[in-house]
C-alpha cells in the first residue's frame, strides 16, 4: 500500500507565501488541481487590524499536518499534496496558509481540501496569538526586525519538510493592553436601547438617528429687538430720505395676536417673536427713531435686514436628521433635540453595575480603625469614578471565602460585575475560580501592565465581569484602561483614546530588565497648543498622594522624539 | 522532563520552557497539579488546554513519558 501514499510536501515558513508559484504534479495521472489560500483579512473580531501573529509548536505542527494529510487522503485519494503554513507576523492581505492538491478527479480534490482544513483548525498546534491595529504597527515593524530568519531548518529524512524556527520563538505578548482591548471590544455588547423622555437623555448616547419633528424655527421669528415693517410696493428709496411708518402693534414672544401688517404699517417686535404676516422687513431698534405713533429710519437701515428674520424651517425642516446614531447627547445636542420638537429618544440604557469587595480586612469609611484592618478606599473610589458617567454602583462586601464569593456571583443579575481583590494567584485569591464555577468564561487573567497585572476579564452571556487588583492605584489604572472601555461599549460610546504629549519630566534611562509597560500618574497641561505632561512622584504602589492631583496616566517612558502616550482622564 | 508552553499557556506560565525533574510517568492529573503549583494562572486554562507528550496528544488516561518533551497546548487557531 505504501506506494499509493500521496506525494506530500509540508512546510512551515516565516516568510511570505508567493501567490504565484509552480505546483509540480504529474500531468499524466492528474485531471484536477485545487488550491486554497487562507488570507489575513483587515478585520479580526469586528476590529480593524493591520496584521495577525501566528505561533506554532513547529515540530508537532508538521507531524500533525503529515498525519492529517495521510488520514484525509485515505478518504479522498489524491496524488499530490502541498501545504505551506506561515507563522510570525502576517500583514493583512497576505496568505497564512496555502494548500494545493492534485487528483485524478475534482471531487477528491475538493473533498480533501474541505476536510483537511477543518481538521487542521482542530488539531494542528498553531495559534493566532495577537491582532495588531494601526496603533501597534510600529511595534510590529520592530518585532519583524528582531525575528531574523537565521534559525535552523529541521529536515525530516523520510518526508519533505522545511521548517524554520523553534518552539517559543514566535510569540508576541498575548495579553498586551491592545489584546485585552480587542477582547473587550469583541465580547462586550451594547445594551438594548431604551426609549426615554427627551429631558432625561443628556449624557446618554442615541441608539438610532433622530429626526426633527417640527420645523426649526417653528415660525418666522425676529432675530432682534426692533420693528417689523410692511414696505409699500412703490416706495422710492432715496438714500437720504427718511422713511416713516405707522406704529400699529407691539408683539412680544409668545404673543398670538392675529395681526396683518398693511403697507406703510410697522409693529414693535422683540427677539423670538412671530414676524406678522404682511411684514417685509425687520429693522433693528437702534436704526430707528420712534416718534409718537410713528417710526422713522433711513433706508440704509434696510441693508441686510433679511438677517433680522429667521425664516420658518431655515435651520431644520421637519423630518430632517438632526442627530446620528451613536452620538453622545451633549447639553447642546439636548437643546437642539428639544427645539426640534423631539419628545423622546432611544438611548443605550445605563448599565447595572455591582461591586464586590473581597477581604476580611476591610472597614467601611465611616468606622473607626481597628488593629490589622484597613479602610476600603476602593469601593467609594470606584463609585465616584462611575458617578462621573452617571452610573450608580451597588456595593457588596464578602469575606475571602470561595463559597461566599461564588454565592454572590451566582446571584448577580446585572450587566457589569466588578470584584475587587482576589484576582491574583495567591492562596486566598478566589475570583477566577468563583467566576468560572458560576459559569463565566475567563478571557484574560493577566495583563502586561504595571500596575494592574492581575486582571480578570470574563463574560457570561451578555454579562461582563472584571476581577480588579485590590491595590487602589492598580484598581484606578485598571478602571481607566479596561472597565471604562467595557462601559463605553455597553452604552454606545467611543472608548477613550491615548494621546501623545511632550514629556516634561526628568530624563529616564529605560530599565532593560523590566519590559512590562508601566503606568505613572501625571499632570498634563496645554502650553499654548502643545500638550505637555509631567510624572508625579510616588513612593510605591500603595502611595495614593499622586492620584489625588493627577489628571492623566502616562504610559511607559518617552520615545526618541521626547513624546509619551497618555490617557487623559481629568480636565487640562 | 522538558515542558513547553504555547500561546496563552506561555502567557499564563510566564515562560515558554521549563525543566522538571520527573523520574516516573506522570498522569495528566499529576501533571496539572504540578503545573498549577508552579504557575497558578494556568488553573484558568486547565479546562481548555490539551497536553502532548512526545508530540502526541494525550487522552485523559494516558501518561506523560518523562523522557519526552511535554507540551501544554491551548485551543488551536491556525489556518
Amino acid at each position: 500500500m505504501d506506494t499509493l501514499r500521496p506525494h506530500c510536501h509540508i512546510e512551515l515558513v516565516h516568510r511570505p507565501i508567493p501567490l504565484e508559484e509552480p505546483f509540480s504534479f504529474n500531468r499524466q495521472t492528474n485531471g484536477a488541481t485545487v488550491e486554497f489560500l487562507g488570507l489575513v483579512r483587515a478585520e479580526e473580531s469586528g476590529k480593524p487590524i493591520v496584521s495577525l501573529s501566528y505561533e506554532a509548536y513547529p515540530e508537532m505542527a508538521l507531524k500533525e499536518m503529515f498525519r492529517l494529510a495521510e488520514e484525509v487522503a485515505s478518504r479522498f485519494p489524491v496524488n499530490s499534496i502541498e501545504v505551506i503554513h506561515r507563522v510570525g507576523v502576517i500583514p493583512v492581505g497576505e496568505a497564512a496558509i496555502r494548500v494545493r492538491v492534485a487528483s485524478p478527479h475534482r471531487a477528491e480534490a475538493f473533498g480533501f481540501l474541505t476536510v483537511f482544513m477543518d481538521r487542521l483548525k482542530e488539531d494542528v498546534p498553531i495559534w493566532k496569538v495577537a491582532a495588531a491595529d494601526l496603533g501597534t504597527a510600529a511595534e510590529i515593524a520592530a518585532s519583524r526586525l528582531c525575528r531574523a530568519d537565521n534559525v535552523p531548518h529541521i529536515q525530516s529524512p523520510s518526508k519533505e519538510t522545511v521548517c524554520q524556527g523553534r518552539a517559543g520563538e514566535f510569540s508576541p505578548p498575548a495579553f498586551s493592553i491592545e489584546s485585552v482591548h480587542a477582547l473587550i471590544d469583541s465580547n462586550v455588547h451594547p445594551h438594548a436601547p431604551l426609549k426615554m423622555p427627551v429631558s432625561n437623555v443628556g449624557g446618554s448616547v442615541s441608539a438610532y438617528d433622530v429626526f426633527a419633528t417640527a420645523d426649526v424655527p417653528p415660525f418666522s421669528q425676529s432675530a432682534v429687538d426692533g420693528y417689523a415693517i410692511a414696505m409699500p410696493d412703490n416706495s422710492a428709496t432715496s438714500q437720504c430720505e427718511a422713511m416713516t411708518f405707522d406704529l400699529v402693534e407691539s408683539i412680544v414672544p409668545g404673543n398670538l395676536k392675529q395681526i396683518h401688517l398693511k403697507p406703510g404699517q410697522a409693529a414693535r417686535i422683540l427677539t423670538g417673536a412671530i414676524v406678522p404676516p404682511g411684514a417685509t422687513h425687520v429693522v433693528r431698534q437702534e436704526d430707528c427713531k420712534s416718534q409718537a405713533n410713528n417710526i422713522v429710519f433711513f433706508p440704509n437701515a434696510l441693508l441686510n435686514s433679511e438677517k433680522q428674520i429667521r425664516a420658518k424651517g431655515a435651520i431644520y425642516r421637519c423630518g430632517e436628521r438632526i442627530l446620528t446614531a451613536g452620538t453622545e447627547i451633549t447639553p447642546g445636542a439636548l437643546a437642539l433635540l428639544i427645539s426640534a420638537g423631539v419628545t423622546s429618544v432611544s438611548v443605550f440604557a445605563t448599565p447595572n453595575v455591582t461591586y464586590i469587595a473581597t477581604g476580611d480586612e476591610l472597614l467601611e469609611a465611616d468606622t473607626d480603625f481597628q488593629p490589622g484592618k484597613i479602610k476600603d478606599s476602593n469601593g467609594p473610589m470606584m463609585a465616584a469614578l462611575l458617578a462621573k458617567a452617571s452610573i450608580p454602583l451597588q456595593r457588596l462586601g464578602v469575606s475571602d471565602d470561595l463559597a461566599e464569593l461564588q454565592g454572590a456571583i451566582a446571584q448577580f443579575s446585572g450587566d457589569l460585575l466588578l470584584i475587587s481583590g482576589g484576582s491574583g494567584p495567591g492562596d486566598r485569591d478566589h475570583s477566577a475560580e468563583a467566576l468560572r464555577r458560576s459559569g463565566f468564561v475567563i478571557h484574560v487573567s493577566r495583563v502586561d501592565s504595571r500596575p494592574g497585572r492581575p486582571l480578570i476579564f470574563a463574560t457570561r452571556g451578555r454579562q461582563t465581569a472584571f476581577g480588579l487588583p485590590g491595590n487602589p492605584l492598580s484598581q484606578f489604572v485598571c478602571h481607566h484602561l479596561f472597565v471604562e472601555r467595557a462601559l463605553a461599549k455597553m452604552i454606545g460610546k467611543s472608548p477613550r483614546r491615548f494621546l501623545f504629549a511632550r514629556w516634561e519630566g526628568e530624563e529616564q534611562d529605560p530599565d532593560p530588565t523590566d519590559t512590562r509597560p508601566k503606568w505613572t500618574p501625571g499632570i498634563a497641561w496645554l502650553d499654548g497648543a502643545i500638550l505637555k505632561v509631567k510624572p508625579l512622584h510616588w513612593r510605591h504602589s500603595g502611595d495614593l498622594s499622586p492620584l489625588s492631583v493627577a489628571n492623566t496616566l502616562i504610559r511607559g517612558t518617552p520615545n526618541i522624539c521626547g513624546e509619551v502616550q497618555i490617557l487623559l482622564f481629568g480636565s487640562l | 522532563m522538558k515542558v513547553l508552553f504555547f500561546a496563552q499557556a506561555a502567557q499564563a506560565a510566564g515562560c515558554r520552557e521549563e525543566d522538571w525533574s520527573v523520574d516516573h510517568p506522570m498522569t495528566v492529573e499529576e501533571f496539572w497539579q504540578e503545573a498549577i503549583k508552579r504557575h497558578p494562572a494556568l488553573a484558568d486554562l486547565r479546562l481548555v488546554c490539551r497536553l502532548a507528550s512526545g508530540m502526541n496528544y494525550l487522552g485523559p488516561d494516558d501518561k506523560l513519558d518523562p523522557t519526552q518533551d511535554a507540551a501544554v497546548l491551548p485551543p488551536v487557531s491556525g489556518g
Side-chain angles (χ1 to χ4, degrees):
Chain A
M1 285 299 285
D2 207 50
T3 52
L4 291 178
R5 275 188 173 182
H7 174 86
C8 277
H9 176 97
I10 294 181
E11 215 180 329
L12 270 184
V13 299
H14 217 141
R15 53 169 168 80
I17 300 171
L19 295 188
E20 287 177 27
E21 201 174 37
F23 178 33
S24 68
F25 61 95
N26 184 334
R27 288 176 185 266
Q28 309 301 313
T29 57
N30 291 296
T33 71
V34 177
E35 173 178 298
F36 168 77
L37 273 180
L39 306 176
V40 174
R41 289 184 303 138
E43 188 190 283
E44 178 76 5
S45 309
K47 192 184 164 207
I49 59 163
V50 294
S51 68
L52 277 179
S53 296
Y54 284 80
E55 169 184 335
Y57 180 1
E59 299 88 342
M60 186 171 167
L62 288 169
K63 178 170 174 280
E64 279 294 307
M65 285 194 279
F66 273 116
R67 187 182 64 73
L68 278 184
E70 289 187 355
E71 180 193 308
V72 180
S74 69
R75 282 176 59 195
F76 300 98
V78 293
N79 290 331
S80 286
I81 303 165
E82 180 206 84
V83 183
I84 304 178
H85 201 304
R86 183 175 172 189
V87 289
V89 177
I90 308 181
V92 162
E94 296 189 13
I97 187 169
R98 183 178 74 197
V99 185
R100 301 198 284 201
V101 289
S103 59
H105 307 286
R106 68 177 186 280
E108 298 93 316
F110 282 124
F112 177 93
L113 264 179
T114 306
V115 175
F116 180 81
M117 284 308 300
D118 287 349
R119 299 281 287 112
L120 178 138
K121 284 170 180 290
E122 289 165 8
D123 279 345
V124 176
I126 299 175
W127 298 269
K128 271 181 210 168
V129 282
D133 59 21
L134 291 167
T136 47
E139 293 165 29
I140 290 163
S143 66
R144 256 186 191 168
L145 291 176
C146 299
R147 293 188 192 122
D149 278 358
N150 56 353
V151 282
H153 287 213
I154 296 169
Q155 190 79 40
S156 149
S158 57
K159 290 161 177 165
E160 292 176 49
T161 67
V162 184
C163 172
Q164 301 185 332
R166 281 178 46 77
E169 288 190 352
F170 304 124
S171 53
F175 292 116
S176 65
I177 308 271
E178 275 72 20
S179 302
V180 181
H181 283 178
L183 284 165
I184 290 173
D185 293 348
S186 53
N187 287 290
V188 177
H189 304 281
H191 279 198
L194 197 69
K195 203 167 184 174
M196 300 268 282
V198 67
S199 43
N200 296 344
V201 299
S204 303
V205 173
S206 62
Y208 308 117
D209 289 353
V210 184
F211 301 91
T213 60
D215 286 340
V216 181
F219 44 82
S220 288
Q221 62 184 193
S222 175
V224 294
D225 291 345
Y227 297 91
I229 57 155
M231 186 70 72
D233 287 344
N234 56 354
S235 66
T237 51
S238 148
Q239 290 300 313
C240 19
E241 202 175 322
M243 304 175 80
T244 304
F245 286 76
D246 295 338
L247 192 57
V248 295
E249 191 57 84
S250 176
I251 308 165
V252 296
N255 186 325
L256 296 174
K257 278 183 210 161
Q258 295 290 319
I259 60 157
H260 192 288
L261 290 184
K262 297 190 185 91
Q265 290 185 330
R268 173 81 173 130
I269 194 165
L270 297 182
T271 307
I274 302 177
V275 175
T280 56
H281 300 78
V282 170
V283 184
R284 295 188 302 173
Q285 64 185 20
E286 49 269 45
D287 295 334
C288 308
K289 260 203 304 201
S290 145
Q291 295 174 340
N293 285 334
N294 292 323
I295 59 144
V296 179
F297 58 87
F298 286 96
N300 60 4
L302 293 175
L303 293 171
N304 299 324
S305 70
E306 69 277 8
K307 284 190 186 157
Q308 325 304 0
I309 297 179
R310 300 183 195 130
K312 174 174 159 50
I315 301 173
Y316 283 112
R317 305 296 301 188
C318 180
E320 204 171 322
R321 184 170 61 195
I322 49 175
L323 208 67
T324 46
T327 309
E328 182 175 344
I329 301 171
T330 59
L334 184 65
L336 167 69
L337 293 173
I338 293 171
S339 75
V342 175
T343 56
S344 64
V345 183
S346 290
V347 294
F348 293 111
T350 305
N352 177 325
V353 187
T354 297
Y355 180 93
I356 298 179
T358 65
D360 302 322
E361 74 282 21
L362 298 176
L363 293 173
E364 277 299 317
D366 52 3
T367 53
D368 292 332
F369 275 111
Q370 292 170 25
K373 303 215 168 192
I374 54 166
K375 298 247 185 156
D376 174 22
S377 54
N378 288 331
M381 177 183 77
M382 290 296 284
L385 285 168
L386 290 178
K388 281 166 73 178
S390 307
I391 298 170
L393 186 67
Q394 189 194 346
R395 288 173 56 203
L396 294 176
V398 303
S399 72
D400 281 330
D401 180 57
L402 171 60
E404 197 181 325
L405 179 59
Q406 194 186 334
I409 297 172
Q411 285 180 11
F412 169 67
S413 61
D415 304 307
L416 176 63
L417 177 64
L418 303 173
I419 305 173
S420 171
S423 307
D427 290 344
R428 297 175 72 77
D429 290 330
H430 301 308
S431 298
E433 187 59 27
L435 282 166
R436 198 180 7 255
R437 289 190 189 179
S438 311
F440 274 87
V441 176
I442 294 181
H443 303 283
V444 174
S445 59
R446 218 156 54 142
V447 183
D448 248 350
S449 166
R450 183 165 61 105
R453 188 185 188 107
L455 174 100
I456 298 166
F457 165 57
T459 56
R460 180 173 68 186
R462 298 186 78 83
Q463 295 178 315
T464 300
F466 283 98
L468 300 169
N471 172 285
L473 178 64
S474 302
Q475 195 161 114
F476 188 87
V477 169
C478 285
H479 170 79
H480 286 97
L481 287 181
F482 309 117
V483 177
E484 206 186 52
R485 192 177 185 97
L487 281 169
K489 185 82 196 283
M490 286 179 191
I491 57 180
K493 288 191 182 176
S494 317
R496 201 186 285 278
R497 297 248 164 232
F498 293 124
L499 305 171
F500 274 101
R502 186 167 300 281
W503 174 264
E504 293 286 323
E506 284 163 24
E507 283 211 10
Q508 292 207 333
D509 291 325
D511 176 3
T513 60
D514 188 0
T515 55
R516 269 161 66 192
K518 186 172 126 190
W519 294 92
T520 316
I523 290 186
W525 73 98
L526 271 176
D527 184 359
I530 299 170
L531 183 60
K532 296 186 171 177
V533 69
K534 202 154 72 173
L536 288 159
H537 176 70
W538 50 299
R539 282 157 283 205
H540 57 81
S541 65
D543 177 7
L544 300 185
S545 52
L547 271 197
S548 64
V549 288
N551 66 355
T552 195
L553 290 169
I554 304 169
R555 183 181 197 171
T557 48
N559 60 21
I560 51 167
C561 307
E563 288 176 330
V564 69
Q565 266 192 329
I566 65 167
L567 194 68
L568 182 71
F569 56 81
S571 42
L572 287 171
Chain B
M1 183 169 74
K2 193 154 91 179
V3 182
L4 308 172
F5 300 99
F6 292 94
Q8 299 99 306
Q11 193 70 26
C15 67
R16 318 205 130 264
E17 199 176 305
E18 268 182 339
D19 265 316
W20 293 7
S21 70
V22 177
D23 51 8
H24 64 284
M26 276 180 125
T27 64
V28 169
E29 178 61 30
E30 284 169 337
F31 178 89
W32 277 112
Q33 277 178 7
E34 177 68 20
I36 292 167
K37 198 170 87 193
R38 288 166 178 258
H39 310 290
L42 280 172
D44 290 353
L45 294 171
R46 174 171 181 174
L47 290 178
V48 296
C49 282
R50 284 193 279 180
L51 299 181
S53 177
M55 298 197 285
N56 290 311
Y57 282 116
L58 294 185
D61 301 324
D62 291 337
K63 292 197 172 175
L64 291 103
D65 180 346
T67 66
Q68 298 277 343
D69 291 353
V72 180
L73 308 168
V76 303
S77 50

